[in-house]
Amino acid sequence: MNHIYLVNALVTDAEGRMLAVRKKNSKFFQMVGGKREKGEELLATLRREFLEEINIDILLHDVSFLGQHTSVAVNEKNTEVHANVFHVKLKSLKTLKIASEIEELAWVTKENYTDYQLAHLLEEFSLPIWLEMEC
């Protein structure tokens, strides 16, 4: 079994919606984030990934640690993902813009979240937390 170490975030806006992204060549919506480089601090990974994927600097928003979770990777066979998951509450959407590796983004609501095919990590760990959040 292969192992990938990730830093991801449950992203919400002022309305309580959850942001999910779908990378090219994937049918699964997932959290913003990605692979941690050797020796890289967790928040440095998260900041880099946010800038690369959606052009957001997390230093300008509210960030808190949610926990760790391990699950099966949805896009890579025989691979387990180990993630440190944060919550990023966006104060502004002004700079939000998807980058080339992202095919689509979705603002998920508590009324329509079942319409999306979610990656295991998002579905197992972050979704239950988000569903309990007050808007």
Side-chain angles (χ1 to χ4, degrees), residues 106-133:
W107 283 106
V108 181
T109 67
K110 293 181 180 176
E111 292 75 36
N112 73 2
Y113 73 91
T114 57
D115 296 342
Y116 296 92
Q117 191 163 8
L118 304 176
H120 300 308
L121 183 62
L122 174 54
E123 186 171 44
E124 296 167 4
F125 184 79
S126 295
L127 181 66
I129 293 170
W130 174 68
L131 288 172
E132 293 296 320
M133 286 181 176

Side-chain angles (χ1 to χ4, degrees), residues 45-61:
T45 301
L46 193 64
R47 185 176 187 219
R48 176 178 52 76
E49 290 289 341
F50 264 66
L51 287 167
E52 289 174 4
E53 293 181 7
I54 61 170
N55 195 44
I56 294 281
D57 187 346
I58 63 168
L59 298 181
L60 304 174
H61 303 274

Side-chain angles (χ1 to χ4, degrees), residues 1-89:
M1 171 112 8
N2 298 314
H3 299 273
I4 299 174
Y5 298 89
L6 304 173
V7 183
N8 297 82
L10 164 61
V11 180
T12 59
D13 68 0
E15 298 173 32
R17 299 178 301 171
M18 176 177 66
L19 178 68
V21 296
R22 186 177 59 77
K23 294 187 177 183
K24 290 184 177 172
N25 302 315
S26 177
K27 61 183 178 181
F28 295 95
F29 282 86
Q30 59 192 44
M31 292 179 282
V32 176
K35 295 175 186 165
R36 186 176 179 193
E37 295 177 0
K38 187 173 177 132
E40 191 175 38
E41 295 291 327
L42 295 176
L43 285 175
T45 301
L46 193 64
R47 185 176 187 219
R48 176 178 52 76
E49 290 289 341
F50 264 66
L51 287 167
E52 289 174 4
E53 293 181 7
I54 61 170
N55 195 44
I56 294 281
D57 187 346
I58 63 168
L59 298 181
L60 304 174
H61 303 274
D62 296 329
V63 180
S64 58
F65 183 70
L66 292 176
Q68 298 177 321
H69 188 71
T70 299
S71 190
V72 176
V74 292
N75 294 318
E76 298 182 43
K77 291 183 179 180
N78 196 34
T79 302
E80 214 172 47
V81 293
H82 306 272
N84 284 281
V85 183
F86 290 80
H87 175 215
V88 176
K89 186 172 184 178

